[in-house]
Amino acid sequence: MKASEIRELLKLLDQPDIISFAGGIPDPSLFPSDAIRGAYGDVLGGAEAGAALQYQVSEGYLPLRRWLAGQMGKLGIACDEANIFITSGSQQALDYLGKLFLSPGDTALVTWPTYLGALQAFNAYEPRYDRLRPEGGNMTPAAYHTAAAANGGRMKFAYLVPDFANPTGSTLDRKQREAVLDLAGELDIAVIEDAAYRALRYDGEGVPPILALDCARPGGIDKARTLYCGSFSKILSPGMRVGWVCAPRHVVEKLVLMKQASDLHSPSVNQMVMHRVAESVFDSQVEKLIGAYRERRDGLLGALEANMPDGVSWSRPEGGMFVWVTLPEGTDATELLARSVKEARVAFVPGNAFYADGTGRNTLRLSFTLADRRAVSEGIPRLAALAKG
């Protein structure tokens, strides 16, 4: 287990002169604070106060699970509350799924790069990683199995963020999602779909979740191999730590056993408040965030276009929180970060942290959710000046 470079970088936010594009965190000024404050008052000031302060079933608060099942239905995933499991943030879901599937030496398929928090969650169970290429060019199933066996384990799952990925901001099209399902079927492994950013689409047409495509195949959700991890953190509140897994019932049953042995249940009062807030403001909150974050994304992309030297390229995400920057070959973003913090007082995340094999040293991630006009107009020219050498 290793320290998260991102979590360490968040400490820089306490230094008032640092312009940070590092932490992929929502803007607290946009939280629905009034709705949350009112919901806590209603729950704790009414007949539900006892239940809110009491133990809860490990599966999670039933009205919240029913609401989530309805939301999943809107995405093309026909399910009920028995397919929904509440977690303490989607990060806990990744930890539980790693525990469920991985024994030391087993293989997990991940993209190059992938979400650092997923690698941290899985690393505790001592897997090896092989490369998943949703755009094409994967190894044959036999080659994947042979490589896994040579390491003393088996292929267990493919993990990916198909919508506005952390860290690249990229989105898989429908054909790529179907191809991931086809490969998982040939390998007979699970697919972990991390949907933390799905609601934050600023441009273009939405693509069905991988789980929706899986459910459209014979058997529905209880025959599906895809496990959908959702979160309220990017839309309503990360501090309340409420996420969920939508999965076949037999998988939910295993996760419940883990929850019972781990923390019994996620906090009752937070689940009850989250249900009230989600019912009342979820859609309007999504629209508010889309308007704010779209403007910040556009500002960041414009500043990169105006200031970055030749040889530097970057992603143009249709949603989410991140822009992925590729520097010229031979440039080390970790070394650039040290100079950037010392000389320019600008922070970002070096890209090699997101690669299971430690490559990608000439890449970096910029987050735009906290990037107001001042931060962009001052920070990006400073960073560009360093990138020019």
Side-chain angles (χ1 to χ4, degrees), residues 32-293:
S33 301
D34 290 342
I36 292 172
R37 184 183 304 109
Y40 272 109
D42 291 343
V43 168
L44 294 175
E48 295 180 298
L53 299 175
Q54 185 57 280
Y55 287 113
Q56 177 67 249
V57 296
S58 297
E59 290 86 342
Y61 181 53
L62 182 58
L64 178 60
R65 289 162 54 218
R66 285 176 174 164
W67 185 86
L68 285 167
Q71 293 297 110
M72 299 306 295
K74 295 177 183 178
L75 298 176
I77 301 165
C79 65
D80 61 28
E81 62 271 16
N83 300 110
I84 304 293
F85 170 67
I86 303 298
T87 59
S88 297
S90 60
Q91 187 66 25
Q92 185 178 66
L94 297 178
D95 176 50
Y96 282 9
L97 292 171
K99 182 183 293 187
L100 177 63
F101 285 104
L102 296 171
S103 295
D106 283 340
T107 294
L109 282 182
V110 298
T111 55
W112 256 233
T114 194
Y115 170 48
L116 173 59
L119 296 178
Q120 287 190 294
F122 303 150
N123 282 347
Y125 307 106
E126 302 179 47
R128 69 177 282 273
Y129 297 103
D130 215 332
R131 187 169 184 176
L132 175 67
R133 293 181 171 89
E135 72 281 1
N138 288 303
M139 296 194 301
T140 66
Y144 277 126
H145 281 303
T146 298
N151 199 64
R154 296 186 294 160
M155 299 292 304
K156 288 298 179 70
F157 59 73
Y159 165 83
L160 70 166
V161 186
D163 296 285
F164 325 122
N166 184 355
T168 64
S170 62
T171 296
L172 301 187
D173 61 28
R174 182 172 185 140
K175 183 178 179 180
Q176 291 168 331
R177 297 174 194 226
E178 295 279 13
V180 169
L181 276 176
D182 292 340
L183 176 64
E186 293 171 338
L187 291 169
D188 194 22
I189 60 174
V191 175
I192 299 176
E193 178 177 16
D194 189 339
Y197 310 96
R198 179 176 174 83
L200 296 176
R201 171 172 284 280
Y202 315 135
D203 303 312
E205 295 295 324
V207 187
I210 296 175
L211 180 53
L213 300 175
D214 202 350
C215 289
R217 300 183 178 198
I221 191 168
D222 286 325
K223 296 293 185 181
R225 64 178 66 253
T226 304
L227 317 171
Y228 181 106
C229 299
S231 174
F232 287 109
S233 293
K234 307 303 183 290
I235 306 301
L236 297 179
S237 165
M240 291 174 69
R241 309 307 302 136
V242 182
W244 73 92
V245 177
C246 182
R249 297 183 188 208
H250 66 273
V251 174
V252 169
E253 290 168 359
K254 297 294 186 184
L255 296 175
V256 168
L257 297 180
M258 292 181 183
K259 191 77 169 168
Q260 290 172 352
S262 176
D263 61 358
L264 299 183
H265 61 86
S266 297
S268 304
V269 63
N270 288 1
Q271 294 185 65
M272 295 170 75
V273 167
M274 189 62 79
H275 172 241
R276 283 176 175 256
V277 174
E279 272 196 324
S280 61
V281 305
F282 186 85
D283 291 340
S284 61
Q285 177 69 8
V286 168
E287 289 303 311
K288 180 171 75 171
L289 295 178
I290 286 174
Y293 292 158

Side-chain angles (χ1 to χ4, degrees), residues 327-365:
L327 304 168
E329 287 292 338
T331 306
D332 189 320
T334 301
E335 294 178 0
L336 181 65
L337 174 64
R339 290 182 56 209
S340 182
V341 170
K342 181 179 180 180
E343 301 172 23
R345 307 303 283 165
V346 175
F348 56 83
V349 182
N352 68 293
F354 301 95
Y355 285 81
D357 63 352
T359 57
R361 301 198 69 85
N362 66 320
T363 60
L364 60 93
R365 192 194 76 179

